[in-house]
Amino acid sequence: MEINVKHPAYGFDQSDGFDSIPDPIVLHIFSKISDIKTLIRCRSVSKRFNSLVPQADSLLLRVDRVISTTDSDDDDGDSFFLAFLRSIVKSLHNFISPNKHTHFGSPTRTQNSPTQILRGFENIRSLQIELPSGDLRLEKGTTIKWKAHFGKTLKSCVILGFRGGSEADFSGGGLKMRVVWTISALIAASARHYMMLDVIREQTDLSNLVVKDKDNEGMVVMDKGGLKECRERGGEEEEMNNNNNNSNSNRRAGVWWKSNRTTVPAVRMRMRHEARMELSNGVKLEGATLVVVRPINASGCGGRGGGSEAEEQSGDVGLAMGAFGGDGVYGEAIERLLKCRSYILEMNSF
């Protein structure tokens, strides 16, 4: 679009052509932009933009970098989410602060959590949070991908793990390693879910939430029903998570990784494994493993939730293909693994 801003003395209209665009169209453009830092910059363009940006209903909060954990109070290097919150302060506050008239709230207020940052938006329906990296610390050559669905607590999780180019023997200690992969993914998922609880409760119009990472390692997904369930049972969830002997002040300070996460319920895990797999493109995978996790009391958990073994197996196909089926090399691996013999493991709540 060409905007004519030349002086009338030269025979041109001084009006801005953008002013003729209706507000709903401008809001649609802002929702397509979605990136919060870009939208914050847009607020300083004009009074009109400043009033319209907070009404955008589709947002992406992208964290660019993680501050070194040596800056935190936790010396063991595991306080990822403390670094995450600090990174939000440093990477976003500069965009919020330059013009005091474009603040979300008080000019002196420190924006130090996703909840506070998002309070400046009035009508969020779809929200994505992108972390700068995956949560798991893996051995060289190991790849783990996971996708977890949540409501009040875990509904399902699909985990794909393998090692590329490794000569390790998975016939002996392989099961232990695969269980560690599964537990690690579940802890990461429950920590991300817990991190979003305050956002979910405050953003009452939110109907779709995704918390992912730049490395595409893992993803927490919540749909409209799951978000509603989480809000309705929020008080009970809070009580469940207070068994870690942490004060609310610690929670607000961002000490997330070790002690602040949603409790993982007792789960039933159906595991499929192929020691060595060569895909059609020549890629070789060692210890390729597919795990589908469901709460034991969930519908479709054979023998516990009323579903038959066949129904559970069929459900595995839908969950696994829905998670990674269209993802190139991973989709082919999933298809192969779904044909393998499955093993059942059960795990108590933790």
Side-chain angles (χ1 to χ4, degrees):
M1 174 182 295
E2 182 178 352
I3 300 177
N4 190 338
V5 293
K6 292 189 177 181
H7 195 276
Y10 294 94
F12 296 101
D13 187 356
Q14 195 175 7
S15 63
D16 186 338
F18 209 94
D19 290 339
S20 63
I21 300 177
D23 285 356
I25 295 179
V26 177
L27 279 172
H28 181 71
I29 294 171
F30 286 156
S31 292
K32 290 294 184 182
I33 292 172
S34 75
D35 180 69
I36 286 181
K37 288 186 288 185
T38 301
L39 291 174
I40 290 173
R41 290 169 175 158
C42 288
R43 294 198 74 179
S44 63
V45 171
S46 66
K47 290 182 178 179
R48 185 186 183 204
F49 278 23
N50 188 51
S51 65
L52 289 176
V53 164
Q55 300 177 46
D57 63 5
S58 180
L59 297 178
L60 167 64
L61 175 56
R62 181 181 288 115
V63 182
D64 296 320
R65 59 197 177 94
V66 173
I67 307 304
S68 170
T69 53
T70 57
D71 296 336
S72 74
D73 294 329
D74 189 344
D75 292 330
D76 63 8
D78 282 341
S79 63
F80 169 84
F81 288 101
L82 177 57
F84 163 64
L85 293 182
R86 289 184 176 180
S87 73
I88 290 180
V89 177
K90 294 194 176 185
S91 62
L92 281 176
H93 190 63
N94 288 339
F95 295 121
I96 299 172
S97 299
N99 185 337
K100 67 180 180 179
H101 300 295
T102 63
H103 281 197
F104 290 164
S106 168
T108 59
R109 181 181 181 181
T110 301
Q111 307 286 349
N112 61 358
S113 74
T115 306
Q116 292 175 338
I117 292 168
L118 294 168
R119 280 176 187 155
F121 293 88
E122 304 163 358
N123 190 35
I124 305 174
R125 299 185 183 279
S126 179
L127 174 64
Q128 287 193 39
I129 307 287
E130 184 181 279
L131 307 180
S133 63
D135 304 326
L136 308 183
R137 297 181 177 183
L138 306 174
E139 298 177 5
K140 185 177 180 181
T142 301
T143 297
I144 297 179
K145 292 178 69 68
W146 56 268
K147 183 175 182 180
H149 289 261
F150 276 85
K152 168 196 168 185
T153 186
L154 180 73
K155 290 180 174 291
S156 67
C157 185
V158 179
I159 303 160
L160 173 66
F162 58 86
R163 297 178 69 179
S166 171
E167 298 180 356
D169 180 9
F170 284 81
S171 60
L175 178 60
K176 180 179 178 180
M177 179 177 294
R178 294 191 289 274
V179 171
V180 169
W181 288 353
T182 300
I183 293 174
S184 298
L186 291 174
I187 289 175
S190 63
R192 292 190 190 184
H193 177 257
Y194 186 85
M195 182 179 68
M196 289 290 102
L197 290 181
D198 286 339
V199 171
I200 292 166
R201 291 165 191 156
E202 290 200 7
Q203 298 295 334
T204 56
D205 292 328
L206 190 63
S207 59
N208 180 59
L209 172 64
V210 175
V211 186
K212 58 182 183 178
D213 58 85
K214 194 173 182 180
D215 296 336
N216 291 318
E217 177 185 272
M219 180 183 300
V220 165
V221 177
M222 299 184 71
D223 59 18
K224 186 174 182 179
L227 290 162
K228 181 180 179 182
E229 176 187 300
C230 193
R231 294 187 192 102
E232 289 177 347
R233 303 182 185 180
E236 183 181 343
E237 182 69 41
E238 193 78 42
E239 184 177 350
M240 289 171 60
N241 286 285
N242 280 338
N243 59 8
N244 296 303
N245 297 319
N246 292 294
S247 67
N248 288 333
S249 61
N250 278 342
R251 179 181 173 185
R252 285 190 289 268
V255 186
W256 298 103
W257 176 250
K258 281 193 167 182
S259 53
N260 288 303
R261 60 176 177 83
T262 304
T263 301
V264 177
V267 293
R268 178 180 173 95
M269 305 179 293
R270 186 177 290 274
M271 183 178 293
R272 297 169 174 87
H273 169 66
E274 189 168 322
R276 291 173 177 82
M277 178 186 296
E278 183 171 353
L279 304 178
S280 58
N281 60 0
V283 173
K284 297 180 180 180
L285 308 181
E286 296 284 340
T289 303
L290 173 67
V291 186
V292 179
V293 182
R294 295 183 181 88
I296 285 179
N297 61 353
S299 176
C301 251
R304 297 297 183 94
S308 68
E309 182 81 4
E311 288 173 336
E312 185 177 341
Q313 295 259 22
S314 177
D316 285 358
V317 174
L319 288 172
M321 295 304 293
F324 307 118
D327 198 358
V329 62
Y330 304 119
E332 183 181 350
I334 289 289
E335 290 181 4
R336 294 266 298 271
L337 287 165
L338 284 169
K339 298 175 182 177
C340 295
R341 180 182 178 183
S342 62
Y343 301 86
I344 301 296
L345 296 87
E346 293 189 357
M347 185 179 299
N348 293 332
S349 177
F350 63 92

